[in-house]
Amino acid sequence: MAAQVDEHEVEAVPVAVDGLPRHQGTNGVHGDRLLVADEANESLTIPVIAARAGVHATTVYRRWGTVGELLADVMASRFSGEIVVPDTGGLRGDLERYAYDLAKDLGDPDTLALVRATIGTGGEQGAAACRGERQRQLEAILEREQARGGQPPTIEHTTDAVLAPLYYRAVFTDLPLTPEWTRTLIARLLPD
């Protein structure tokens, strides 16, 4: 059964479906195509994606297999390098800046729609695509603090204190991701 995603929940995302090796991302010979349904009641399926890209559905199935896999791949590409790991000279400043930047990114309607669609159709693979790069960025911040001679919290504790509430609030509530709120996350993680 094909995964069904309402077009209102999916960002217009460039995706190459030209038969190139999967690791080459979206740099397709045929140019980028949009992953979006024209009609409000049209579901996002592999055949719809293939039609938008002007290729046969088999090409898309061969490369991704499912809408969830395709969205996870798009998400992984989308999150790679989107947020620069801050270096303010201290752990608190680095984490506050990181949380602010991530909240701003998750507050973007297109990003949020892609996150929701990826989690909704991709299962654990989709969730891993959403958190993987973000967790690596946190690890870099914590490792840098350790190299400075500090004693940072563990990656698990930092993920639970920063990533989890940011994603939960963004994906499952209508509450805003304000700079003040993101600072409270860091204050709880690093009490004075």
Side-chain angles (χ1 to χ4, degrees):
M1 184 168 126
Q4 303 266 319
V5 179
D6 184 342
E7 65 93 12
H8 293 291
E9 296 183 13
V10 180
E11 172 187 17
V13 181
V15 175
V17 288
D18 53 23
L20 290 176
R22 189 176 192 151
H23 69 274
Q24 290 185 351
T26 61
N27 300 325
V29 174
H30 295 106
D32 293 342
R33 304 291 189 233
L34 297 181
L35 269 181
V36 64
D38 284 336
E39 304 297 325
N41 62 354
E42 185 177 23
S43 296
L44 185 61
T45 63
I46 295 289
V48 168
I49 293 165
R52 298 277 171 268
V55 298
H56 195 277
T58 304
T59 303
V60 181
Y61 280 117
R62 183 174 38 241
R63 186 156 175 181
W64 287 285
T66 68
V67 171
E69 289 176 23
L70 186 145
L71 289 173
D73 202 28
V74 170
M75 191 60 136
S77 295
R78 164 76 173 77
F79 276 178
S80 296
E82 285 292 316
I83 294 179
V84 176
V85 176
D87 188 357
T88 64
L91 181 60
R92 181 176 302 278
D94 291 352
L95 289 173
E96 284 178 352
R97 181 60 197 217
Y98 175 82
Y100 170 82
D101 289 346
L102 180 54
K104 187 175 176 184
D105 192 42
L106 289 171
D108 175 71
D110 290 338
T111 299
L112 184 55
L114 182 58
V115 168
R116 286 177 172 157
T118 302
I119 291 170
T121 62
E124 177 53 32
Q125 182 180 6
C130 290
R131 76 172 176 267
E133 182 64 22
R134 300 304 189 221
Q135 193 160 342
R136 284 187 287 280
Q137 292 164 341
L138 276 179
E139 287 170 346
I141 291 170
L142 298 176
E143 288 169 4
R144 186 174 50 229
E145 178 62 15
Q146 194 164 24
R148 291 177 183 141
Q151 294 187 344
T154 65
I155 186 62
E156 182 179 2
H157 188 66
T158 306
T159 299
D160 289 346
V162 180
L163 285 184
L166 277 165
Y167 274 91
Y168 179 83
R169 185 174 270 211
V171 173
F172 297 108
T173 77
D174 290 329
L175 297 172
L177 303 172
T178 64
E180 297 78 22
W181 179 76
T182 60
R183 281 192 296 276
T184 66
L185 298 177
I186 307 310
R188 282 187 227 130
L189 176 64
L190 303 173
D192 290 326

